[in-house]
Amino acid sequence: MKIKPLLKTKEKISVSFRAEPVGYEDLIDVDSLIDYVLLNELMYNPDSIWKSCYMHKSQNIVDEETGEILEYGKLKFGPIWDFDAAMSWNFTNEPYDQSYIEGARATTVLCGNIFFINFVKDADNYLLCKQRWQEVSEGVKAVVDYLRDYKAIIKEPSRSDALTYYGETGKFQFDMQYDYVRLFLLDRIDYFDEIFALEHKPFLQAVGLPVEN
């Protein structure tokens, strides 16, 4: 699929209500974009790029005396929500009855979010993504470790709930689906460590994006 660019990151465009031309980073809060994509990709959440993508704009900073705009608010990604189709490419509106563990070593948001695609084509922007993953990866690993303890905390009420909704197989479904989440995330972290260790062009190739000469 050929992707039509919206705005190259180094390109400046004219906006009627601004005195000077602006670029990508002048319009979009880059940190929020990176976090949005990393989190949704980590969870393999395709809903985040076709159905449940939300953004908001921060307020302009205005001089109280003159009314002059001192700093324009930027478009920020979020709030982030809607993970019922995560960790799978075959949403059925039911508890998963099969494994989609292969998705832990594939991409969905990285190669499908048009904002991110245009952003990450630039090598400097890719470096920002690498650095952000390095910053948060240990925290993500800690969450996965905590899930083991958390399962024990919610085990009895969760099994009771699963029995109510899914009958005799409820206990098994709770155990298997909970363990599946941990396994998926562990594989996902390994995959992220691998792709974000790559240089810019090999990264683009690895996630299925075109490489410009």
Side-chain angles (χ1 to χ4, degrees), residues 3 107 109-113 116-118 120-121 201 203-212:
I3 299 167
T107 55
V109 183
L110 290 176
C111 59
N113 183 310
F116 187 77
I117 290 168
N118 284 288
V120 82
K121 284 180 180 179
K201 288 186 177 180
F203 167 83
L204 295 178
Q205 293 172 327
V207 301
L209 294 179
V211 178
E212 298 178 357

PDB file of all heavy atoms in Angstrom, residues 3 107 109-113 116-118 120-121 201 203-212:
ATOM      1  N   ILE A   3       1.538   4.984   0.797  1.00  0.00           N
ATOM      2  CA  ILE A   3       1.014   5.930   1.779  1.00  0.00           C
ATOM      3  C   ILE A   3       1.249   7.350   1.294  1.00  0.00           C
ATOM      4  O   ILE A   3       2.365   7.742   0.963  1.00  0.00           O
ATOM      5  CB  ILE A   3       1.689   5.714   3.142  1.00  0.00           C
ATOM      6  CG1 ILE A   3       1.387   4.299   3.641  1.00  0.00           C
ATOM      7  CG2 ILE A   3       1.217   6.741   4.156  1.00  0.00           C
ATOM      8  CD1 ILE A   3       2.232   3.882   4.797  1.00  0.00           C
ATOM      9  N   THR A 107       3.831  -6.018  13.639  1.00  0.00           N
ATOM     10  CA  THR A 107       3.431  -4.641  13.916  1.00  0.00           C
ATOM     11  C   THR A 107       2.048  -4.368  13.365  1.00  0.00           C
ATOM     12  O   THR A 107       1.613  -4.977  12.390  1.00  0.00           O
ATOM     13  CB  THR A 107       4.420  -3.641  13.297  1.00  0.00           C
ATOM     14  OG1 THR A 107       4.539  -3.900  11.901  1.00  0.00           O
ATOM     15  CG2 THR A 107       5.778  -3.747  13.954  1.00  0.00           C
ATOM     16  N   VAL A 109       0.287  -0.815  14.601  1.00  0.00           N
ATOM     17  CA  VAL A 109       0.211   0.646  14.662  1.00  0.00           C
ATOM     18  C   VAL A 109       1.402   1.290  13.968  1.00  0.00           C
ATOM     19  O   VAL A 109       1.268   2.280  13.260  1.00  0.00           O
ATOM     20  CB  VAL A 109       0.135   1.124  16.128  1.00  0.00           C
ATOM     21  CG1 VAL A 109      -0.013   2.641  16.204  1.00  0.00           C
ATOM     22  CG2 VAL A 109      -1.023   0.454  16.843  1.00  0.00           C
ATOM     23  N   LEU A 110       2.584   0.739  14.157  1.00  0.00           N
ATOM     24  CA  LEU A 110       3.796   1.322  13.586  1.00  0.00           C
ATOM     25  C   LEU A 110       3.721   1.456  12.075  1.00  0.00           C
ATOM     26  O   LEU A 110       4.309   2.362  11.494  1.00  0.00           O
ATOM     27  CB  LEU A 110       5.019   0.474  13.963  1.00  0.00           C
ATOM     28  CG  LEU A 110       5.454   0.513  15.421  1.00  0.00           C
ATOM     29  CD1 LEU A 110       6.601  -0.453  15.667  1.00  0.00           C
ATOM     30  CD2 LEU A 110       5.871   1.919  15.823  1.00  0.00           C
ATOM     31  N   CYS A 111       3.012   0.557  11.433  1.00  0.00           N
ATOM     32  CA  CYS A 111       2.928   0.600   9.968  1.00  0.00           C
ATOM     33  C   CYS A 111       1.564   1.065   9.480  1.00  0.00           C
ATOM     34  O   CYS A 111       1.291   1.025   8.280  1.00  0.00           O
ATOM     35  CB  CYS A 111       3.255  -0.770   9.376  1.00  0.00           C
ATOM     36  SG  CYS A 111       2.167  -2.101   9.935  1.00  0.00           S
ATOM     37  N   GLY A 112       0.695   1.530  10.396  1.00  0.00           N
ATOM     38  CA  GLY A 112      -0.640   1.912   9.981  1.00  0.00           C
ATOM     39  C   GLY A 112      -1.078   3.290  10.423  1.00  0.00           C
ATOM     40  O   GLY A 112      -2.094   3.802   9.946  1.00  0.00           O
ATOM     41  N   ASN A 113      -0.341   3.937  11.336  1.00  0.00           N
ATOM     42  CA  ASN A 113      -0.701   5.255  11.834  1.00  0.00           C
ATOM     43  C   ASN A 113      -0.038   6.309  10.960  1.00  0.00           C
ATOM     44  O   ASN A 113       1.171   6.490  10.995  1.00  0.00           O
ATOM     45  CB  ASN A 113      -0.249   5.393  13.293  1.00  0.00           C
ATOM     46  CG  ASN A 113      -0.655   6.714  13.908  1.00  0.00           C
ATOM     47  OD1 ASN A 113      -0.436   7.769  13.345  1.00  0.00           O
ATOM     48  ND2 ASN A 113      -1.239   6.641  15.089  1.00  0.00           N
ATOM     49  N   PHE A 116       2.351   8.828  12.540  1.00  0.00           N
ATOM     50  CA  PHE A 116       3.629   8.271  12.962  1.00  0.00           C
ATOM     51  C   PHE A 116       4.498   7.915  11.772  1.00  0.00           C
ATOM     52  O   PHE A 116       5.719   8.096  11.802  1.00  0.00           O
ATOM     53  CB  PHE A 116       3.405   7.035  13.822  1.00  0.00           C
ATOM     54  CG  PHE A 116       4.678   6.509  14.427  1.00  0.00           C
ATOM     55  CD1 PHE A 116       5.252   7.135  15.518  1.00  0.00           C
ATOM     56  CD2 PHE A 116       5.307   5.394  13.899  1.00  0.00           C
ATOM     57  CE1 PHE A 116       6.433   6.663  16.073  1.00  0.00           C
ATOM     58  CE2 PHE A 116       6.487   4.917  14.446  1.00  0.00           C
ATOM     59  CZ  PHE A 116       7.047   5.558  15.537  1.00  0.00           C
ATOM     60  N   ILE A 117       3.890   7.421  10.708  1.00  0.00           N
ATOM     61  CA  ILE A 117       4.658   7.037   9.524  1.00  0.00           C
ATOM     62  C   ILE A 117       5.431   8.228   8.978  1.00  0.00           C
ATOM     63  O   ILE A 117       6.629   8.140   8.689  1.00  0.00           O
ATOM     64  CB  ILE A 117       3.729   6.444   8.445  1.00  0.00           C
ATOM     65  CG1 ILE A 117       3.214   5.073   8.892  1.00  0.00           C
ATOM     66  CG2 ILE A 117       4.447   6.331   7.103  1.00  0.00           C
ATOM     67  CD1 ILE A 117       2.088   4.532   8.045  1.00  0.00           C
ATOM     68  N   ASN A 118       4.752   9.358   8.842  1.00  0.00           N
ATOM     69  CA  ASN A 118       5.421  10.553   8.341  1.00  0.00           C
ATOM     70  C   ASN A 118       6.450  11.071   9.334  1.00  0.00           C
ATOM     71  O   ASN A 118       7.469  11.638   8.938  1.00  0.00           O
ATOM     72  CB  ASN A 118       4.390  11.635   8.044  1.00  0.00           C
ATOM     73  CG  ASN A 118       3.639  11.376   6.757  1.00  0.00           C
ATOM     74  OD1 ASN A 118       4.182  11.516   5.671  1.00  0.00           O
ATOM     75  ND2 ASN A 118       2.397  10.976   6.880  1.00  0.00           N
ATOM     76  N   VAL A 120       8.249   9.184  11.632  1.00  0.00           N
ATOM     77  CA  VAL A 120       9.387   8.293  11.856  1.00  0.00           C
ATOM     78  C   VAL A 120      10.248   8.117  10.616  1.00  0.00           C
ATOM     79  O   VAL A 120      11.330   7.536  10.687  1.00  0.00           O
ATOM     80  CB  VAL A 120       8.896   6.928  12.386  1.00  0.00           C
ATOM     81  CG1 VAL A 120       8.420   6.031  11.238  1.00  0.00           C
ATOM     82  CG2 VAL A 120       9.956   6.236  13.222  1.00  0.00           C
ATOM     83  N   LYS A 121       9.809   8.621   9.480  1.00  0.00           N
ATOM     84  CA  LYS A 121      10.652   8.575   8.290  1.00  0.00           C
ATOM     85  C   LYS A 121      11.922   9.400   8.479  1.00  0.00           C
ATOM     86  O   LYS A 121      12.924   9.168   7.801  1.00  0.00           O
ATOM     87  CB  LYS A 121       9.888   9.095   7.073  1.00  0.00           C
ATOM     88  CG  LYS A 121       8.867   8.116   6.507  1.00  0.00           C
ATOM     89  CD  LYS A 121       8.169   8.731   5.303  1.00  0.00           C
ATOM     90  CE  LYS A 121       7.144   7.781   4.718  1.00  0.00           C
ATOM     91  NZ  LYS A 121       6.434   8.384   3.558  1.00  0.00           N
ATOM     92  N   LYS A 201      17.160   2.908   8.860  1.00  0.00           N
ATOM     93  CA  LYS A 201      16.641   2.215   7.674  1.00  0.00           C
ATOM     94  C   LYS A 201      16.287   0.756   7.949  1.00  0.00           C
ATOM     95  O   LYS A 201      15.219   0.286   7.526  1.00  0.00           O
ATOM     96  CB  LYS A 201      17.625   2.335   6.513  1.00  0.00           C
ATOM     97  CG  LYS A 201      17.668   3.735   5.914  1.00  0.00           C
ATOM     98  CD  LYS A 201      18.535   3.793   4.666  1.00  0.00           C
ATOM     99  CE  LYS A 201      18.493   5.196   4.056  1.00  0.00           C
ATOM    100  NZ  LYS A 201      19.321   5.293   2.827  1.00  0.00           N
ATOM    101  N   PHE A 203      15.248  -0.405  10.710  1.00  0.00           N
ATOM    102  CA  PHE A 203      14.012  -0.348  11.485  1.00  0.00           C
ATOM    103  C   PHE A 203      12.813  -0.190  10.557  1.00  0.00           C
ATOM    104  O   PHE A 203      11.801  -0.889  10.706  1.00  0.00           O
ATOM    105  CB  PHE A 203      14.064   0.813  12.475  1.00  0.00           C
ATOM    106  CG  PHE A 203      12.730   1.132  13.101  1.00  0.00           C
ATOM    107  CD1 PHE A 203      12.280   0.409  14.198  1.00  0.00           C
ATOM    108  CD2 PHE A 203      11.919   2.137  12.585  1.00  0.00           C
ATOM    109  CE1 PHE A 203      11.043   0.690  14.772  1.00  0.00           C
ATOM    110  CE2 PHE A 203      10.685   2.428  13.156  1.00  0.00           C
ATOM    111  CZ  PHE A 203      10.252   1.701  14.244  1.00  0.00           C
ATOM    112  N   LEU A 204      12.896   0.738   9.616  1.00  0.00           N
ATOM    113  CA  LEU A 204      11.787   0.947   8.678  1.00  0.00           C
ATOM    114  C   LEU A 204      11.463  -0.341   7.928  1.00  0.00           C
ATOM    115  O   LEU A 204      10.290  -0.694   7.745  1.00  0.00           O
ATOM    116  CB  LEU A 204      12.141   2.064   7.688  1.00  0.00           C
ATOM    117  CG  LEU A 204      12.324   3.469   8.263  1.00  0.00           C
ATOM    118  CD1 LEU A 204      12.711   4.440   7.161  1.00  0.00           C
ATOM    119  CD2 LEU A 204      11.064   3.939   8.975  1.00  0.00           C
ATOM    120  N   GLN A 205      12.500  -1.038   7.504  1.00  0.00           N
ATOM    121  CA  GLN A 205      12.287  -2.309   6.796  1.00  0.00           C
ATOM    122  C   GLN A 205      11.654  -3.344   7.715  1.00  0.00           C
ATOM    123  O   GLN A 205      10.753  -4.079   7.298  1.00  0.00           O
ATOM    124  CB  GLN A 205      13.628  -2.821   6.241  1.00  0.00           C
ATOM    125  CG  GLN A 205      14.207  -1.952   5.153  1.00  0.00           C
ATOM    126  CD  GLN A 205      15.612  -2.373   4.762  1.00  0.00           C
ATOM    127  OE1 GLN A 205      16.380  -2.856   5.599  1.00  0.00           O
ATOM    128  NE2 GLN A 205      15.979  -2.170   3.512  1.00  0.00           N
ATOM    129  N   ALA A 206      12.097  -3.383   8.955  1.00  0.00           N
ATOM    130  CA  ALA A 206      11.609  -4.394   9.896  1.00  0.00           C
ATOM    131  C   ALA A 206      10.124  -4.236  10.196  1.00  0.00           C
ATOM    132  O   ALA A 206       9.415  -5.225  10.404  1.00  0.00           O
ATOM    133  CB  ALA A 206      12.407  -4.345  11.200  1.00  0.00           C
ATOM    134  N   VAL A 207       9.626  -2.980  10.214  1.00  0.00           N
ATOM    135  CA  VAL A 207       8.223  -2.753  10.549  1.00  0.00           C
ATOM    136  C   VAL A 207       7.353  -2.578   9.301  1.00  0.00           C
ATOM    137  O   VAL A 207       6.175  -2.255   9.404  1.00  0.00           O
ATOM    138  CB  VAL A 207       8.046  -1.545  11.499  1.00  0.00           C
ATOM    139  CG1 VAL A 207       8.819  -1.771  12.780  1.00  0.00           C
ATOM    140  CG2 VAL A 207       8.471  -0.246  10.823  1.00  0.00           C
ATOM    141  N   GLY A 208       7.941  -2.773   8.122  1.00  0.00           N
ATOM    142  CA  GLY A 208       7.164  -2.775   6.904  1.00  0.00           C
ATOM    143  C   GLY A 208       6.912  -1.413   6.293  1.00  0.00           C
ATOM    144  O   GLY A 208       5.920  -1.221   5.578  1.00  0.00           O
ATOM    145  N   LEU A 209       7.813  -0.447   6.537  1.00  0.00           N
ATOM    146  CA  LEU A 209       7.657   0.882   5.966  1.00  0.00           C
ATOM    147  C   LEU A 209       8.641   1.081   4.818  1.00  0.00           C
ATOM    148  O   LEU A 209       9.737   0.512   4.827  1.00  0.00           O
ATOM    149  CB  LEU A 209       7.899   1.957   7.026  1.00  0.00           C
ATOM    150  CG  LEU A 209       6.878   1.999   8.170  1.00  0.00           C
ATOM    151  CD1 LEU A 209       7.253   3.076   9.158  1.00  0.00           C
ATOM    152  CD2 LEU A 209       5.486   2.223   7.643  1.00  0.00           C
ATOM    153  N   PRO A 210       8.268   1.889   3.817  1.00  0.00           N
ATOM    154  CA  PRO A 210       9.167   2.112   2.680  1.00  0.00           C
ATOM    155  C   PRO A 210      10.419   2.857   3.093  1.00  0.00           C
ATOM    156  O   PRO A 210      10.379   3.735   3.957  1.00  0.00           O
ATOM    157  CB  PRO A 210       8.317   2.952   1.714  1.00  0.00           C
ATOM    158  CG  PRO A 210       7.272   3.591   2.573  1.00  0.00           C
ATOM    159  CD  PRO A 210       6.998   2.614   3.675  1.00  0.00           C
ATOM    160  N   VAL A 211      11.526   2.498   2.492  1.00  0.00           N
ATOM    161  CA  VAL A 211      12.805   3.142   2.755  1.00  0.00           C
ATOM    162  C   VAL A 211      13.145   4.021   1.587  1.00  0.00           C
ATOM    163  O   VAL A 211      13.236   3.545   0.441  1.00  0.00           O
ATOM    164  CB  VAL A 211      13.923   2.108   2.990  1.00  0.00           C
ATOM    165  CG1 VAL A 211      15.257   2.802   3.211  1.00  0.00           C
ATOM    166  CG2 VAL A 211      13.586   1.213   4.177  1.00  0.00           C
ATOM    167  N   GLU A 212      13.330   5.305   1.843  1.00  0.00           N
ATOM    168  CA  GLU A 212      13.669   6.244   0.777  1.00  0.00           C
ATOM    169  C   GLU A 212      15.181   6.284   0.576  1.00  0.00           C
ATOM    170  O   GLU A 212      15.939   6.260   1.537  1.00  0.00           O
ATOM    171  CB  GLU A 212      13.151   7.649   1.124  1.00  0.00           C
ATOM    172  CG  GLU A 212      11.636   7.711   1.259  1.00  0.00           C
ATOM    173  CD  GLU A 212      11.147   9.085   1.640  1.00  0.00           C
ATOM    174  OE1 GLU A 212      12.014   9.981   1.845  1.00  0.00           O
ATOM    175  OE2 GLU A 212       9.918   9.289   1.739  1.00  0.00           O
TER     176      GLU A 212
END
